[in-house]
Amino acid sequence: MIELDTDELLRVLCLGGIASERRATVPVLGCVRLTFNGRLSVQSTNCDQACVATAEISGGGGEPFDLCLPSHEEVRKALRAAGGPTTMLSVEGQTLTIASGSLNIRANCLPASEMPTLWENGRECFSVLAGPEFVSALNRARAAMSDDRMRYYLSGLHISEGSTTRPGRRVVGCDGHRLHVIPIEFENATDAIPPNLILPRAAIEMLVPRLTEAKASPRFSVWKGVGKEGTLVSFTAHVDGTPWVVFSKGIDGAYPNYETVIPVDHKFSFTVEARALRGAVLALSAPFRKRKDGTAAVRFDVFKDGTARLSAAWASAAVGHAEASIPISGLTGEPSVFGFNGAYVADMLTAFEGDAVEFLITDGASPALVRDPESAGPFVVLMPLRVG
């Protein structure tokens, strides 16, 4: 029997169980593996990602055990609802007893040997202690990840060493309609980032919200020669004091040469306050965000008097058309009418941390480059939409 703080048990069950498979096509993938040998570890996998969270046990007493616990989410709910300040775990055969306050749960478990292993011994080819800025870069680029299964190599984020024309490490997200490029800096990295390293969407969605909230600095590592699966990526961090490791297979594919779509020239440019732009675009595109296609063509009319009028046609019986005017500054060149998917513009603003963004436009039929006027680093490319 072992005893630990209930809050700590809830935390390791949550972090360690994130990768469990909800579809239950393979029952053991819906379990978490509980292993005790002086400390308690909780592990889950969906065969593409795996998570391990660890809790230290005071005194380390108790007999070792290793088993797979089903319905771990229901166990967490019960502990949160009726558990006491501490919880005791005891094992008899394949039955795990969880006692906390007035709550007593007897769970029939599966053998630990049924849980598949995601990784085997491999060679670490890249490793760095990445600061919160790296997690922020992942968060700022992830809106541009594709959800098109046909273009699976875009369904993730590309971590790049850069190129001869655009040197510098960066996080890249692209879905064919928009491109987010966020620069990153690593100190004391062991080697160069492997080419075509793509972190899958599932891993990004596991990692970023929790590491952002905890403001944890993960160790980011890349492994080669891992079984027959090629590249494996790992993130090691402490989340609210709990050691947490996430493993993920990399996407097997070549990331496209996104630099070919980056505009190299423009005919006019202007700067707009990010908060005003976000408010106007969200107001105009709100009815469209409920539609499956997610398209809301927002038209931009830029005037020399220092304003930009944004307008959209609504598919509504009550409102046929809506528009909003916002101030702009620094207008150069001769402006023309252009348009974008409004939802993409709102998402684009998450790529920047400053108060303003600068649009560099060629014409209404060409990609637009958007950047932070105060920083030469992050930029976004938006493909245009035809507007009347």
Side-chain angles (χ1 to χ4, degrees), residues 13 15 30-31 41 43 74 77 106 160 162 194 233 283 295 310 321 334:
L13 284 173
L15 291 171
C31 299
S41 71
Q43 173 189 329
E74 284 72 13
K77 291 176 184 177
R106 289 178 58 84
S160 170
V233 176
T295 55
L310 280 62
H321 184 86
E334 196 67 29

Side-chain angles (χ1 to χ4, degrees), residues 41-61:
S41 71
V42 179
Q43 173 189 329
S44 63
T45 183
N46 58 21
C47 290
D48 289 314
Q49 287 79 38
C51 298
V52 183
T54 306
E56 296 294 336
I57 306 299
S58 298

Side-chain angles (χ1 to χ4, degrees), residues 297-369:
V298 175
R299 169 173 166 155
F300 287 66
D301 289 88
V302 178
F303 302 104
K304 291 185 177 181
D305 66 356
T307 61
R309 184 180 66 218
L310 280 62
S311 58
W314 282 4
S316 167
V319 181
H321 184 86
E323 61 184 42
S325 294
I326 56 176
I328 63 171
S329 61
L331 177 63
T332 64
E334 196 67 29
S336 66
V337 175
F338 57 96
F340 304 114
N341 183 314
Y344 292 172
V345 176
D347 290 341
M348 169 205 77
L349 293 171
T350 64
F352 302 102
E353 297 180 317
D355 296 328
V357 291
E358 181 183 22
F359 283 79
L360 293 89
I361 308 291
T362 300
D363 54 48
S366 303
L369 181 67

Side-chain angles (χ1 to χ4, degrees), residues 2 22 81 94 119 130 180 210 241 244 273 301 316 379:
I2 60 173
R22 271 70 174 178
Q94 291 299 124
W119 62 93
H180 289 199
R210 292 157 186 90
W244 187 45
E273 199 265 328
D301 289 88
S316 167
F379 65 88

